[in-house]
Structure formats: C-alpha cells, structure tokens
Amino acid sequence: EAGVTQFPSHSVIEKGQTVTLRCDPISGHDNLYWYRRVMGKEIKFLLHFVKESKQDESGMPNNRFLAERTGGTYSTLKVQPAELEDSGVYFCASSPLQSGADTQYFGPGTRLTVL
Amino acid sequence: GQQLNQSPQSMFIQEGEDVSMNCTSSSIFNTWLWYKQDPGEGPVLLIALYKAGELTSNGRLTAQFGITRKDSFLNISASIPSDVGIYFCAGQLEWTNFGNEKLTFGTGTRLTIIP
C-alpha cells in the first residue's frame, strides 16, 4: 500500500511569488492534516480536513495560506504571496476516521525556501 | 496554545551508549507519542502511550507516560549508527467524534553518533 505522498519535494521561490503544495493521502484515509516545521523549531499544526471539510484550521498563520481538499481525496496548500518567514518543511499526514493517534502517517514533506 | 518543551536539543554520543530525552508540558495530554525523522523523510512513529504511568518498550526503545500526564521520556539503549536522526515527542489532547485531533510536537532532539 502506498504511503502519503507529497509534491514537490523541494521548492525555491522568490518573495512575492505563489507556490502550491500537494498531498496525496493514503487511500481511504478521511483525515488529512497539514503541519509545518520552521528551521530548528517544533513541527506545528496548520489544519485538519475530514473528507472535504475543514475540521480545524486554527493553525493557519494568515490569509496568505489557502488549503483545499475538493472531493475529499488529495489536498493542496497554496501560499500567495510567499514571504521569507514561510520557509520551512511542510508535512502532510493522514489517518482513517475514528482511529487512534498512532494512525497518523506522515509524508516525506515539501521543503519550501523563499528567497 | 499548548507547548511541549523537549530536551536536550542535541546529543553527541558514542556507539553503544544509552540515550535519554524527555518532554514536559504545562498542560495535560491524553496520548503521548515519540517519532523519529530521518533526513528527507517524514516523522515515523516509534512508540505511542495511552495511559498515565504506562511504560512501553519497542526493542531497544523504552518510553513512559508521566503520572501527571504532563511529561514523557524516551530511552534508547546501546545506541547503533542507524539511531542517528531527529526525535520528536508529540501529545494529543482528545479524540473528537470525527477522528483524531491535531498533534502538538516538541522542538526535537538531534542525535549524532561520534565515531
């Protein structure tokens, strides 16, 4: 069974540009999460989808970030316009509905560098 | 929001030594988890703890869920080269009706093995 996949693995953009990150969860997983790790700091929660609905978006830093999950399968996270402080590694995780904390599986991450 | 204080930030040890790291929180968690991240990969679950006072082992790894539900430690015995990586603690507060709530992560402990 394929794991969580993320695309691209790396992205280098200039300040002010737009970037879209994609996450494909494990097939059948209705929960999808986005997290971010800024250099040397903790992995921080951004938001949580249940199917196509946003269950919790309390971690989204500001309105430059837009997450979608149309159809309840893959998700995209768009940053527009990107700022220097947006640099970091963006992780996606997925889990089945009504399952324990030990069922959140993480993707390899997208490393975003904003110059 | 909730914060996890993880220490130490980094460790430099020789192969064969034992390792100990811990996490503390100002608020309680109902589940504690320990993850390991290898370069270019996402966090991978090592151990999950569900009950206060629980002590759980996974091979050379042992973790405990503190009695107060505000702390946890991870021990690695007889370290080997493949133990190199970043270790993260994480806590989950509650389990909603829809599925897992977000994870709150510590800042990580980077383990390096000196030849």
Side-chain angles (χ1 to χ4, degrees):
Chain A
E1 182 184 303
V4 177
T5 57
Q6 293 186 243
F7 182 83
S9 56
H10 293 83
S11 181
V12 181
I13 61 172
E14 294 194 347
K15 177 182 166 180
Q17 289 186 320
T18 297
V19 64
T20 300
L21 313 181
R22 173 172 168 144
C23 168
D24 285 79
I26 292 172
S27 177
H29 282 192
D30 289 326
N31 287 306
L32 187 150
Y33 311 81
W34 284 98
Y35 293 87
R36 174 175 75 172
R37 186 179 193 223
V38 171
M39 174 87 80
K41 302 210 168 176
E42 75 271 29
I43 299 172
K44 219 163 187 180
F45 167 80
L46 297 178
L47 90 159
H48 170 200
F49 283 101
V50 177
K51 299 184 182 179
E52 66 276 6
S53 300
K54 290 174 186 172
Q55 176 71 9
D56 180 357
E57 50 185 325
S58 61
M60 293 289 262
N62 51 60
N63 59 11
R64 295 185 294 103
F65 289 74
L66 174 64
E68 293 181 320
R69 194 184 182 195
T70 309
T73 53
Y74 71 90
S75 174
T76 58
L77 179 65
K78 179 160 58 171
V79 185
Q80 179 183 31
E83 298 288 343
L84 299 179
E85 65 264 24
D86 300 333
S87 295
V89 182
Y90 290 76
F91 292 106
C92 175
S94 71
S95 71
L97 265 186
Q98 297 182 336
S99 56
D102 58 351
T103 61
Q104 279 195 36
Y105 295 93
F106 283 79
T110 293
R111 181 175 293 278
L112 175 65
T113 302
V114 183
L115 302 175
Chain B
Q2 296 146 330
Q3 276 189 307
L4 293 184
N5 300 307
Q6 185 172 349
S7 65
Q9 272 191 318
S10 59
M11 301 185 75
F12 296 84
I13 61 167
Q14 293 192 317
E15 185 176 346
E17 286 187 29
D18 297 342
V19 169
S20 187
M21 57 191 82
N22 69 82
C23 264
T24 58
S25 171
S26 56
S27 50
I28 64 171
F29 288 97
N30 291 329
T31 303
W32 281 90
L33 309 106
W34 285 92
Y35 290 84
K36 179 179 182 242
Q37 186 192 3
D38 290 324
E41 304 290 330
V44 172
L45 182 68
L46 299 173
I47 290 181
L49 302 152
Y50 296 101
K51 283 168 53 174
E54 179 182 352
L55 183 73
T56 296
S57 292
N58 178 7
R60 293 177 296 106
L61 277 59
T62 303
Q64 182 154 36
F65 190 148
I67 290 287
T68 64
R69 295 198 284 162
K70 293 183 179 181
D71 63 302
S72 177
F73 72 73
L74 174 71
N75 288 341
I76 306 172
S77 63
S79 58
I80 59 177
S82 61
D83 291 335
V84 165
I86 304 176
Y87 292 79
F88 291 96
C89 62
Q92 188 185 59
L93 182 56
E94 63 186 73
W95 180 16
T96 69
N97 287 330
F98 293 98
N100 298 351
E101 198 183 77
K102 63 190 177 194
L103 299 178
T104 299
F105 282 86
T107 49
T109 295
R110 182 180 291 275
L111 181 62
T112 303
I113 295 186
I114 308 165

